[in-house]
Amino acid sequence: MQKTTTHKNELDAKVNVFLKKTALQNVYESFYEKMYEHCNEFGKTLEIGSASGKSKDSFKNIFLSDVVFSHHSDTVCDAHFLPFKNKNFSNIIAIDTFHHLENPLMFVKEASRILTNGGRMALIEPLVTPISQIVYKFFHDEDCSTNINPFQINAPDQKRNPLKDGNNGLPTAFFLKKKDSFHKKFPELKIVKFQRLSLFVYPLTGGYRNWCLMPSLLVKSLLKVENFLLPLLGRLMALRMLVVIEKRK
């Protein structure tokens, strides 16, 4: 009980910071818009790790979930054991959730189970590039390693904090370095989109820290500058990826 309360307090503190920072909200709005572009317009959408509930501004028929109770979520559930019927959702979305998972292989199996044929999963996650690797290793609390077997099943760790513990290198290992292995393990799933995102705007907002160096009025304009620069600088310094996965018949 104490552990659950602690995690709830941590999530509430994170959401409170988010709600106070318009610049950060504007960045997340751009993230949700990018995911929406690649999702199905029909059927229901499930968000894993919904936190603030900001996704409702972009997705109308959306069901919000989180690992601990939040006033902005519709249900509490573990991403490794999703309490939904088979083929129940047309879309699954998540931002900065996958790299916190203890057993991502289990989550992808569950996601495949509850997606309809033609359903899509859109994830925005940390991406390891030459510059971002330095940022994640020396200026971030979480691990950052791509030299792992991302498909191994780990024994549950009761001391693990699902909100703070994670590996920023996990998505790069899972969807990029081991892309062929991913498709062999999940022949019904196809990576249909991989896009590099985020250069300097998000870091200047301070993320979920209590400071911000980015005036909110400049965010949307500077995000357009980022989009222009990403084809040139993405491989060198992009901080995030958008990966879109489709379930085939």
Side-chain angles (χ1 to χ4, degrees), residues 98-100 125-129 132-133 136-137 142-148 150 166-178 241:
F98 186 86
H99 73 277
H100 286 287
E125 288 291 325
L127 172 66
V128 175
T129 56
S132 73
Q133 187 172 21
Y136 288 131
K137 283 193 173 183
E142 297 164 4
D143 292 335
C144 182
S145 175
T146 60
N147 296 320
I148 57 171
N167 177 5
N168 286 309
L170 174 62
T172 300
F174 202 96
F175 297 114
L176 195 57
K177 291 187 68 175
K178 302 290 185 179
M241 67 171 75

PDB file of all heavy atoms in Angstrom, residues 98-100 125-129 132-133 136-137 142-148 150 166-178 241:
ATOM      1  N   PHE A  98       7.290   2.844 -23.128  1.00  0.00           N
ATOM      2  CA  PHE A  98       7.895   1.565 -23.505  1.00  0.00           C
ATOM      3  C   PHE A  98       9.228   1.342 -22.815  1.00  0.00           C
ATOM      4  O   PHE A  98       9.521   0.226 -22.356  1.00  0.00           O
ATOM      5  CB  PHE A  98       8.061   1.512 -25.024  1.00  0.00           C
ATOM      6  CG  PHE A  98       8.544   0.204 -25.559  1.00  0.00           C
ATOM      7  CD1 PHE A  98       7.648  -0.809 -25.849  1.00  0.00           C
ATOM      8  CD2 PHE A  98       9.901  -0.028 -25.771  1.00  0.00           C
ATOM      9  CE1 PHE A  98       8.096  -2.031 -26.346  1.00  0.00           C
ATOM     10  CE2 PHE A  98      10.353  -1.234 -26.258  1.00  0.00           C
ATOM     11  CZ  PHE A  98       9.448  -2.233 -26.546  1.00  0.00           C
ATOM     12  N   HIS A  99      10.074   2.376 -22.720  1.00  0.00           N
ATOM     13  CA  HIS A  99      11.423   2.176 -22.167  1.00  0.00           C
ATOM     14  C   HIS A  99      11.410   1.964 -20.654  1.00  0.00           C
ATOM     15  O   HIS A  99      12.444   1.660 -20.060  1.00  0.00           O
ATOM     16  CB  HIS A  99      12.346   3.340 -22.545  1.00  0.00           C
ATOM     17  CG  HIS A  99      12.086   4.619 -21.819  1.00  0.00           C
ATOM     18  ND1 HIS A  99      11.125   5.522 -22.204  1.00  0.00           N
ATOM     19  CD2 HIS A  99      12.679   5.165 -20.715  1.00  0.00           C
ATOM     20  CE1 HIS A  99      11.134   6.568 -21.393  1.00  0.00           C
ATOM     21  NE2 HIS A  99      12.067   6.367 -20.477  1.00  0.00           N
ATOM     22  N   HIS A 100      10.241   2.110 -20.028  1.00  0.00           N
ATOM     23  CA  HIS A 100      10.109   1.818 -18.593  1.00  0.00           C
ATOM     24  C   HIS A 100       9.671   0.371 -18.335  1.00  0.00           C
ATOM     25  O   HIS A 100       9.645  -0.060 -17.179  1.00  0.00           O
ATOM     26  CB  HIS A 100       9.082   2.752 -17.953  1.00  0.00           C
ATOM     27  CG  HIS A 100       9.558   4.160 -17.773  1.00  0.00           C
ATOM     28  ND1 HIS A 100      10.477   4.519 -16.812  1.00  0.00           N
ATOM     29  CD2 HIS A 100       9.250   5.298 -18.435  1.00  0.00           C
ATOM     30  CE1 HIS A 100      10.709   5.813 -16.883  1.00  0.00           C
ATOM     31  NE2 HIS A 100       9.990   6.319 -17.871  1.00  0.00           N
ATOM     32  N   GLU A 125       9.370   7.432 -28.246  1.00  0.00           N
ATOM     33  CA  GLU A 125      10.302   6.927 -27.246  1.00  0.00           C
ATOM     34  C   GLU A 125      11.683   7.550 -27.435  1.00  0.00           C
ATOM     35  O   GLU A 125      11.992   8.092 -28.505  1.00  0.00           O
ATOM     36  CB  GLU A 125      10.423   5.405 -27.366  1.00  0.00           C
ATOM     37  CG  GLU A 125       9.207   4.640 -26.883  1.00  0.00           C
ATOM     38  CD  GLU A 125       9.024   4.724 -25.373  1.00  0.00           C
ATOM     39  OE1 GLU A 125      10.037   4.747 -24.641  1.00  0.00           O
ATOM     40  OE2 GLU A 125       7.867   4.768 -24.922  1.00  0.00           O
ATOM     41  N   PRO A 126      12.549   7.455 -26.413  1.00  0.00           N
ATOM     42  CA  PRO A 126      13.933   7.914 -26.575  1.00  0.00           C
ATOM     43  C   PRO A 126      14.624   7.178 -27.716  1.00  0.00           C
ATOM     44  O   PRO A 126      14.385   5.996 -27.948  1.00  0.00           O
ATOM     45  CB  PRO A 126      14.577   7.562 -25.226  1.00  0.00           C
ATOM     46  CG  PRO A 126      13.446   7.531 -24.260  1.00  0.00           C
ATOM     47  CD  PRO A 126      12.277   6.998 -25.032  1.00  0.00           C
ATOM     48  N   LEU A 127      15.470   7.902 -28.433  1.00  0.00           N
ATOM     49  CA  LEU A 127      16.272   7.343 -29.517  1.00  0.00           C
ATOM     50  C   LEU A 127      17.742   7.594 -29.209  1.00  0.00           C
ATOM     51  O   LEU A 127      18.120   8.709 -28.840  1.00  0.00           O
ATOM     52  CB  LEU A 127      15.898   7.999 -30.848  1.00  0.00           C
ATOM     53  CG  LEU A 127      16.786   7.666 -32.050  1.00  0.00           C
ATOM     54  CD1 LEU A 127      16.673   6.191 -32.419  1.00  0.00           C
ATOM     55  CD2 LEU A 127      16.413   8.544 -33.249  1.00  0.00           C
ATOM     56  N   VAL A 128      18.564   6.581 -29.364  1.00  0.00           N
ATOM     57  CA  VAL A 128      20.000   6.723 -29.114  1.00  0.00           C
ATOM     58  C   VAL A 128      20.701   7.116 -30.419  1.00  0.00           C
ATOM     59  O   VAL A 128      20.700   6.371 -31.399  1.00  0.00           O
ATOM     60  CB  VAL A 128      20.601   5.425 -28.559  1.00  0.00           C
ATOM     61  CG1 VAL A 128      22.118   5.553 -28.420  1.00  0.00           C
ATOM     62  CG2 VAL A 128      19.983   5.100 -27.203  1.00  0.00           C
ATOM     63  N   THR A 129      21.263   8.319 -30.415  1.00  0.00           N
ATOM     64  CA  THR A 129      22.096   8.826 -31.503  1.00  0.00           C
ATOM     65  C   THR A 129      23.417   9.271 -30.872  1.00  0.00           C
ATOM     66  O   THR A 129      23.531   9.300 -29.643  1.00  0.00           O
ATOM     67  CB  THR A 129      21.415  10.012 -32.209  1.00  0.00           C
ATOM     68  OG1 THR A 129      21.122  11.028 -31.231  1.00  0.00           O
ATOM     69  CG2 THR A 129      20.125   9.590 -32.884  1.00  0.00           C
ATOM     70  N   SER A 132      22.490  12.276 -28.571  1.00  0.00           N
ATOM     71  CA  SER A 132      21.501  11.963 -27.526  1.00  0.00           C
ATOM     72  C   SER A 132      22.049  10.964 -26.514  1.00  0.00           C
ATOM     73  O   SER A 132      21.686  10.989 -25.339  1.00  0.00           O
ATOM     74  CB  SER A 132      20.220  11.408 -28.155  1.00  0.00           C
ATOM     75  OG  SER A 132      20.403  10.084 -28.633  1.00  0.00           O
ATOM     76  N   GLN A 133      22.950  10.080 -26.955  1.00  0.00           N
ATOM     77  CA  GLN A 133      23.546   9.120 -26.041  1.00  0.00           C
ATOM     78  C   GLN A 133      24.299   9.828 -24.916  1.00  0.00           C
ATOM     79  O   GLN A 133      24.229   9.421 -23.757  1.00  0.00           O
ATOM     80  CB  GLN A 133      24.485   8.193 -26.801  1.00  0.00           C
ATOM     81  CG  GLN A 133      25.036   7.051 -25.951  1.00  0.00           C
ATOM     82  CD  GLN A 133      25.799   6.052 -26.799  1.00  0.00           C
ATOM     83  OE1 GLN A 133      26.254   6.356 -27.894  1.00  0.00           O
ATOM     84  NE2 GLN A 133      25.956   4.847 -26.289  1.00  0.00           N
ATOM     85  N   TYR A 136      21.594  11.334 -22.568  1.00  0.00           N
ATOM     86  CA  TYR A 136      20.929  10.339 -21.727  1.00  0.00           C
ATOM     87  C   TYR A 136      21.863   9.724 -20.692  1.00  0.00           C
ATOM     88  O   TYR A 136      21.443   9.393 -19.582  1.00  0.00           O
ATOM     89  CB  TYR A 136      20.324   9.232 -22.600  1.00  0.00           C
ATOM     90  CG  TYR A 136      19.106   9.673 -23.377  1.00  0.00           C
ATOM     91  CD1 TYR A 136      18.990   9.415 -24.742  1.00  0.00           C
ATOM     92  CD2 TYR A 136      18.064  10.358 -22.760  1.00  0.00           C
ATOM     93  CE1 TYR A 136      17.882   9.826 -25.464  1.00  0.00           C
ATOM     94  CE2 TYR A 136      16.950  10.772 -23.462  1.00  0.00           C
ATOM     95  CZ  TYR A 136      16.861  10.501 -24.813  1.00  0.00           C
ATOM     96  OH  TYR A 136      15.759  10.912 -25.527  1.00  0.00           O
ATOM     97  N   LYS A 137      23.131   9.570 -21.022  1.00  0.00           N
ATOM     98  CA  LYS A 137      24.058   8.922 -20.093  1.00  0.00           C
ATOM     99  C   LYS A 137      24.518   9.842 -18.970  1.00  0.00           C
ATOM    100  O   LYS A 137      24.725   9.407 -17.831  1.00  0.00           O
ATOM    101  CB  LYS A 137      25.275   8.378 -20.853  1.00  0.00           C
ATOM    102  CG  LYS A 137      24.987   7.083 -21.594  1.00  0.00           C
ATOM    103  CD  LYS A 137      26.270   6.425 -22.070  1.00  0.00           C
ATOM    104  CE  LYS A 137      25.987   5.056 -22.659  1.00  0.00           C
ATOM    105  NZ  LYS A 137      27.222   4.338 -23.079  1.00  0.00           N
ATOM    106  N   GLU A 142      17.954   7.774 -15.792  1.00  0.00           N
ATOM    107  CA  GLU A 142      17.740   6.395 -16.223  1.00  0.00           C
ATOM    108  C   GLU A 142      18.957   5.850 -16.979  1.00  0.00           C
ATOM    109  O   GLU A 142      19.786   6.608 -17.477  1.00  0.00           O
ATOM    110  CB  GLU A 142      16.501   6.328 -17.119  1.00  0.00           C
ATOM    111  CG  GLU A 142      15.227   6.729 -16.398  1.00  0.00           C
ATOM    112  CD  GLU A 142      14.097   7.025 -17.372  1.00  0.00           C
ATOM    113  OE1 GLU A 142      14.285   6.850 -18.594  1.00  0.00           O
ATOM    114  OE2 GLU A 142      13.035   7.464 -16.909  1.00  0.00           O
ATOM    115  N   ASP A 143      19.026   4.527 -17.069  1.00  0.00           N
ATOM    116  CA  ASP A 143      20.092   3.878 -17.823  1.00  0.00           C
ATOM    117  C   ASP A 143      19.944   4.187 -19.316  1.00  0.00           C
ATOM    118  O   ASP A 143      18.875   4.597 -19.780  1.00  0.00           O
ATOM    119  CB  ASP A 143      20.048   2.366 -17.619  1.00  0.00           C
ATOM    120  CG  ASP A 143      20.415   1.970 -16.198  1.00  0.00           C
ATOM    121  OD1 ASP A 143      21.127   2.740 -15.538  1.00  0.00           O
ATOM    122  OD2 ASP A 143      19.979   0.894 -15.748  1.00  0.00           O
ATOM    123  N   CYS A 144      21.028   3.953 -20.051  1.00  0.00           N
ATOM    124  CA  CYS A 144      20.981   4.098 -21.510  1.00  0.00           C
ATOM    125  C   CYS A 144      21.951   3.096 -22.126  1.00  0.00           C
ATOM    126  O   CYS A 144      23.145   3.367 -22.261  1.00  0.00           O
ATOM    127  CB  CYS A 144      21.321   5.523 -21.939  1.00  0.00           C
ATOM    128  SG  CYS A 144      21.229   5.769 -23.743  1.00  0.00           S
ATOM    129  N   SER A 145      21.417   1.925 -22.469  1.00  0.00           N
ATOM    130  CA  SER A 145      22.254   0.884 -23.060  1.00  0.00           C
ATOM    131  C   SER A 145      21.495   0.192 -24.176  1.00  0.00           C
ATOM    132  O   SER A 145      20.335  -0.199 -24.006  1.00  0.00           O
ATOM    133  CB  SER A 145      22.657  -0.145 -22.001  1.00  0.00           C
ATOM    134  OG  SER A 145      23.367  -1.219 -22.604  1.00  0.00           O
ATOM    135  N   THR A 146      22.146   0.045 -25.327  1.00  0.00           N
ATOM    136  CA  THR A 146      21.550  -0.704 -26.426  1.00  0.00           C
ATOM    137  C   THR A 146      22.189  -2.086 -26.563  1.00  0.00           C
ATOM    138  O   THR A 146      21.737  -2.888 -27.384  1.00  0.00           O
ATOM    139  CB  THR A 146      21.728   0.065 -27.756  1.00  0.00           C
ATOM    140  OG1 THR A 146      23.121   0.261 -28.015  1.00  0.00           O
ATOM    141  CG2 THR A 146      21.026   1.416 -27.702  1.00  0.00           C
ATOM    142  N   ASN A 147      23.230  -2.355 -25.775  1.00  0.00           N
ATOM    143  CA  ASN A 147      23.905  -3.660 -25.819  1.00  0.00           C
ATOM    144  C   ASN A 147      23.204  -4.640 -24.898  1.00  0.00           C
ATOM    145  O   ASN A 147      23.750  -5.122 -23.903  1.00  0.00           O
ATOM    146  CB  ASN A 147      25.379  -3.499 -25.436  1.00  0.00           C
ATOM    147  CG  ASN A 147      26.139  -2.648 -26.428  1.00  0.00           C
ATOM    148  OD1 ASN A 147      25.931  -2.746 -27.624  1.00  0.00           O
ATOM    149  ND2 ASN A 147      27.022  -1.794 -25.915  1.00  0.00           N
ATOM    150  N   ILE A 148      21.957  -4.926 -25.221  1.00  0.00           N
ATOM    151  CA  ILE A 148      21.119  -5.797 -24.396  1.00  0.00           C
ATOM    152  C   ILE A 148      20.349  -6.736 -25.312  1.00  0.00           C
ATOM    153  O   ILE A 148      20.295  -6.535 -26.529  1.00  0.00           O
ATOM    154  CB  ILE A 148      20.117  -4.975 -23.561  1.00  0.00           C
ATOM    155  CG1 ILE A 148      19.260  -4.099 -24.497  1.00  0.00           C
ATOM    156  CG2 ILE A 148      20.823  -4.117 -22.524  1.00  0.00           C
ATOM    157  CD1 ILE A 148      18.108  -3.405 -23.821  1.00  0.00           C
ATOM    158  N   PRO A 150      16.798  -7.246 -25.890  1.00  0.00           N
ATOM    159  CA  PRO A 150      15.536  -6.615 -25.507  1.00  0.00           C
ATOM    160  C   PRO A 150      14.362  -7.569 -25.436  1.00  0.00           C
ATOM    161  O   PRO A 150      13.292  -7.197 -24.945  1.00  0.00           O
ATOM    162  CB  PRO A 150      15.326  -5.579 -26.624  1.00  0.00           C
ATOM    163  CG  PRO A 150      16.005  -6.165 -27.806  1.00  0.00           C
ATOM    164  CD  PRO A 150      17.204  -6.895 -27.263  1.00  0.00           C
ATOM    165  N   GLY A 166      14.107   2.644 -15.827  1.00  0.00           N
ATOM    166  CA  GLY A 166      13.966   2.356 -17.245  1.00  0.00           C
ATOM    167  C   GLY A 166      15.305   2.384 -17.945  1.00  0.00           C
ATOM    168  O   GLY A 166      16.337   2.677 -17.351  1.00  0.00           O
ATOM    169  N   ASN A 167      15.274   2.075 -19.228  1.00  0.00           N
ATOM    170  CA  ASN A 167      16.479   2.070 -20.060  1.00  0.00           C
ATOM    171  C   ASN A 167      16.169   2.842 -21.341  1.00  0.00           C
ATOM    172  O   ASN A 167      15.413   2.370 -22.196  1.00  0.00           O
ATOM    173  CB  ASN A 167      16.894   0.640 -20.383  1.00  0.00           C
ATOM    174  CG  ASN A 167      18.108   0.569 -21.306  1.00  0.00           C
ATOM    175  OD1 ASN A 167      18.708   1.590 -21.640  1.00  0.00           O
ATOM    176  ND2 ASN A 167      18.466  -0.626 -21.724  1.00  0.00           N
ATOM    177  N   ASN A 168      16.750   4.034 -21.480  1.00  0.00           N
ATOM    178  CA  ASN A 168      16.495   4.852 -22.659  1.00  0.00           C
ATOM    179  C   ASN A 168      16.995   4.209 -23.949  1.00  0.00           C
ATOM    180  O   ASN A 168      16.593   4.619 -25.038  1.00  0.00           O
ATOM    181  CB  ASN A 168      17.140   6.229 -22.480  1.00  0.00           C
ATOM    182  CG  ASN A 168      16.380   7.105 -21.503  1.00  0.00           C
ATOM    183  OD1 ASN A 168      15.179   7.276 -21.625  1.00  0.00           O
ATOM    184  ND2 ASN A 168      17.079   7.654 -20.520  1.00  0.00           N
ATOM    185  N   GLY A 169      17.865   3.216 -23.833  1.00  0.00           N
ATOM    186  CA  GLY A 169      18.362   2.533 -25.017  1.00  0.00           C
ATOM    187  C   GLY A 169      17.484   1.381 -25.478  1.00  0.00           C
ATOM    188  O   GLY A 169      17.674   0.850 -26.576  1.00  0.00           O
ATOM    189  N   LEU A 170      16.510   1.003 -24.652  1.00  0.00           N
ATOM    190  CA  LEU A 170      15.676  -0.151 -24.965  1.00  0.00           C
ATOM    191  C   LEU A 170      14.908  -0.010 -26.284  1.00  0.00           C
ATOM    192  O   LEU A 170      14.936  -0.929 -27.110  1.00  0.00           O
ATOM    193  CB  LEU A 170      14.706  -0.411 -23.807  1.00  0.00           C
ATOM    194  CG  LEU A 170      13.648  -1.495 -24.023  1.00  0.00           C
ATOM    195  CD1 LEU A 170      14.295  -2.851 -24.258  1.00  0.00           C
ATOM    196  CD2 LEU A 170      12.692  -1.567 -22.825  1.00  0.00           C
ATOM    197  N   PRO A 171      14.224   1.108 -26.543  1.00  0.00           N
ATOM    198  CA  PRO A 171      13.490   1.215 -27.815  1.00  0.00           C
ATOM    199  C   PRO A 171      14.395   1.131 -29.041  1.00  0.00           C
ATOM    200  O   PRO A 171      14.018   0.526 -30.055  1.00  0.00           O
ATOM    201  CB  PRO A 171      12.817   2.592 -27.712  1.00  0.00           C
ATOM    202  CG  PRO A 171      12.734   2.867 -26.242  1.00  0.00           C
ATOM    203  CD  PRO A 171      13.978   2.275 -25.668  1.00  0.00           C
ATOM    204  N   THR A 172      15.597   1.706 -28.953  1.00  0.00           N
ATOM    205  CA  THR A 172      16.539   1.633 -30.080  1.00  0.00           C
ATOM    206  C   THR A 172      16.959   0.192 -30.327  1.00  0.00           C
ATOM    207  O   THR A 172      17.043  -0.264 -31.475  1.00  0.00           O
ATOM    208  CB  THR A 172      17.773   2.507 -29.801  1.00  0.00           C
ATOM    209  OG1 THR A 172      17.360   3.859 -29.626  1.00  0.00           O
ATOM    210  CG2 THR A 172      18.772   2.435 -30.943  1.00  0.00           C
ATOM    211  N   ALA A 173      17.217  -0.544 -29.246  1.00  0.00           N
ATOM    212  CA  ALA A 173      17.598  -1.954 -29.385  1.00  0.00           C
ATOM    213  C   ALA A 173      16.438  -2.783 -29.941  1.00  0.00           C
ATOM    214  O   ALA A 173      16.624  -3.634 -30.812  1.00  0.00           O
ATOM    215  CB  ALA A 173      18.035  -2.504 -28.030  1.00  0.00           C
ATOM    216  N   PHE A 174      15.233  -2.519 -29.464  1.00  0.00           N
ATOM    217  CA  PHE A 174      14.065  -3.331 -29.797  1.00  0.00           C
ATOM    218  C   PHE A 174      13.585  -3.097 -31.224  1.00  0.00           C
ATOM    219  O   PHE A 174      13.326  -4.046 -31.965  1.00  0.00           O
ATOM    220  CB  PHE A 174      12.935  -2.998 -28.816  1.00  0.00           C
ATOM    221  CG  PHE A 174      11.875  -4.064 -28.685  1.00  0.00           C
ATOM    222  CD1 PHE A 174      11.938  -5.000 -27.662  1.00  0.00           C
ATOM    223  CD2 PHE A 174      10.808  -4.119 -29.554  1.00  0.00           C
ATOM    224  CE1 PHE A 174      10.956  -5.972 -27.523  1.00  0.00           C
ATOM    225  CE2 PHE A 174       9.827  -5.080 -29.432  1.00  0.00           C
ATOM    226  CZ  PHE A 174       9.903  -6.012 -28.406  1.00  0.00           C
ATOM    227  N   PHE A 175      13.484  -1.837 -31.617  1.00  0.00           N
ATOM    228  CA  PHE A 175      12.854  -1.503 -32.899  1.00  0.00           C
ATOM    229  C   PHE A 175      13.829  -1.151 -34.016  1.00  0.00           C
ATOM    230  O   PHE A 175      13.448  -1.128 -35.186  1.00  0.00           O
ATOM    231  CB  PHE A 175      11.889  -0.325 -32.713  1.00  0.00           C
ATOM    232  CG  PHE A 175      10.756  -0.604 -31.791  1.00  0.00           C
ATOM    233  CD1 PHE A 175      10.642   0.079 -30.583  1.00  0.00           C
ATOM    234  CD2 PHE A 175       9.791  -1.545 -32.115  1.00  0.00           C
ATOM    235  CE1 PHE A 175       9.591  -0.175 -29.721  1.00  0.00           C
ATOM    236  CE2 PHE A 175       8.727  -1.809 -31.257  1.00  0.00           C
ATOM    237  CZ  PHE A 175       8.628  -1.118 -30.053  1.00  0.00           C
ATOM    238  N   LEU A 176      15.092  -0.877 -33.681  1.00  0.00           N
ATOM    239  CA  LEU A 176      16.056  -0.448 -34.691  1.00  0.00           C
ATOM    240  C   LEU A 176      17.179  -1.473 -34.851  1.00  0.00           C
ATOM    241  O   LEU A 176      17.331  -2.077 -35.917  1.00  0.00           O
ATOM    242  CB  LEU A 176      16.627   0.921 -34.320  1.00  0.00           C
ATOM    243  CG  LEU A 176      17.364   1.685 -35.422  1.00  0.00           C
ATOM    244  CD1 LEU A 176      16.468   1.890 -36.631  1.00  0.00           C
ATOM    245  CD2 LEU A 176      17.876   3.017 -34.901  1.00  0.00           C
ATOM    246  N   LYS A 177      17.953  -1.699 -33.794  1.00  0.00           N
ATOM    247  CA  LYS A 177      19.078  -2.623 -33.890  1.00  0.00           C
ATOM    248  C   LYS A 177      18.619  -4.057 -34.125  1.00  0.00           C
ATOM    249  O   LYS A 177      19.260  -4.828 -34.834  1.00  0.00           O
ATOM    250  CB  LYS A 177      19.940  -2.536 -32.628  1.00  0.00           C
ATOM    251  CG  LYS A 177      20.701  -1.234 -32.463  1.00  0.00           C
ATOM    252  CD  LYS A 177      21.650  -1.289 -31.282  1.00  0.00           C
ATOM    253  CE  LYS A 177      22.787  -2.260 -31.530  1.00  0.00           C
ATOM    254  NZ  LYS A 177      23.783  -2.238 -30.416  1.00  0.00           N
ATOM    255  N   LYS A 178      17.501  -4.438 -33.495  1.00  0.00           N
ATOM    256  CA  LYS A 178      16.985  -5.810 -33.587  1.00  0.00           C
ATOM    257  C   LYS A 178      15.696  -5.864 -34.397  1.00  0.00           C
ATOM    258  O   LYS A 178      14.813  -6.684 -34.143  1.00  0.00           O
ATOM    259  CB  LYS A 178      16.741  -6.367 -32.181  1.00  0.00           C
ATOM    260  CG  LYS A 178      17.957  -6.394 -31.282  1.00  0.00           C
ATOM    261  CD  LYS A 178      18.988  -7.429 -31.726  1.00  0.00           C
ATOM    262  CE  LYS A 178      20.139  -7.523 -30.740  1.00  0.00           C
ATOM    263  NZ  LYS A 178      21.139  -8.535 -31.149  1.00  0.00           N
ATOM    264  N   MET A 241      12.223   8.929 -31.124  1.00  0.00           N
ATOM    265  CA  MET A 241      11.722   8.257 -32.319  1.00  0.00           C
ATOM    266  C   MET A 241      10.201   8.184 -32.252  1.00  0.00           C
ATOM    267  O   MET A 241       9.607   8.143 -31.180  1.00  0.00           O
ATOM    268  CB  MET A 241      12.267   6.829 -32.410  1.00  0.00           C
ATOM    269  CG  MET A 241      11.728   5.917 -31.299  1.00  0.00           C
ATOM    270  SD  MET A 241      12.134   4.165 -31.526  1.00  0.00           S
ATOM    271  CE  MET A 241      13.869   4.148 -31.073  1.00  0.00           C
TER     272      MET A 241
END
